[in-house]
């Protein structure tokens, strides 16, 4: 089992990978890091399960252009981790123009057979 600092570093890298996949529309890699029970709650309160989220990126309803990562915090408890990442994210949503938001993702990571998967995620601003 990895020590606490190593786990935190791994989760931060997973968070960065999440944004890389969204920006590059790398749906295969994105699908591989999202738990099957993944649900994203957007700033508006709208919820998307894994397949709906992937489909929105694929068809361009959600377009991500850049992410500048500013902070990451995590609390480890056995096989679950509460993680908060803060990034300035440039995106367009549902045909709207490009905007940069200060997004906070509160992520519940779940350990599946030694692999940390991104589970329930709540987006807000900071």
């Amino acid at each position: 089992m990895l020590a606490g600092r190593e786990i935190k570093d791994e989760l931060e890298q997973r968070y960065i990978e999440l944004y890389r996949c969204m920006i590059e529309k790398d749906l295969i890699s994105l699908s591989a890091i999202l738990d099957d029970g993944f649900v994203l709650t957007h700033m508006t309160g709208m919820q998307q399960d894994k397949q709906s989220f992937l489909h929105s990126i694929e068809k361009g309803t959600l377009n991500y252009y850049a992410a500048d990562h500013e902070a990451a915090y995590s609390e480890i408890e056995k096989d679950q981790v509460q993680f908060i990442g803060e990034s300035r994210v440039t995106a367009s949503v549902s045909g709207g123009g490009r905007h940069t938001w200060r997004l906070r993702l509160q992520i519940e990571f779940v350990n599946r057979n030694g692999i940390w998967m991104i589970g329930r995620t709540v987006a807000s601003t900071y």
Side-chain angles (χ1 to χ4, degrees):
M1 188 85 169
L2 295 174
R5 182 71 247 161
E6 290 171 313
I7 292 173
K8 289 179 180 187
D9 290 345
E10 181 180 337
L11 298 177
E12 189 170 343
Q13 288 306 309
R14 186 61 53 114
Y15 171 74
I16 291 167
E17 178 73 357
L18 169 70
Y19 274 106
R20 183 202 64 77
C21 291
M22 293 187 313
I23 291 165
E24 295 178 8
K25 294 188 182 285
D26 180 353
L27 301 180
I28 293 171
S29 297
L30 183 57
S31 181
I33 64 174
L34 299 179
D35 188 60
D36 288 341
F38 172 83
V39 173
L40 170 61
T41 302
H42 292 270
M43 291 186 300
T44 62
M46 180 184 82
Q47 293 188 333
Q48 283 187 297
D49 64 16
K50 180 178 179 175
Q51 293 307 315
S52 174
F53 179 62
L54 293 170
H55 184 69
S56 291
I57 292 171
E58 179 180 40
K59 72 178 186 175
T61 304
L62 296 174
N63 289 297
Y64 297 91
Y65 303 105
D68 179 25
H69 307 297
E70 296 187 330
Y73 316 93
S74 55
E75 291 182 24
I76 303 167
E77 189 171 316
K78 296 188 183 184
D79 286 341
Q80 285 195 328
V81 174
Q82 295 299 320
F83 178 93
I84 294 174
E86 296 177 340
S87 302
R88 290 181 185 263
V89 177
T90 303
S92 63
V93 178
S94 299
R98 262 189 193 194
H99 298 283
T100 300
W101 288 275
R102 294 167 44 115
L103 287 185
R104 173 180 288 132
L105 292 186
Q106 181 175 343
I107 301 171
E108 178 183 303
F109 278 94
V110 181
N111 192 312
R112 301 280 188 227
N113 300 314
I115 300 171
W116 289 103
M117 305 293 290
I118 296 172
R120 295 191 172 273
T121 301
V122 178
S124 60
T125 57
Y126 66 99

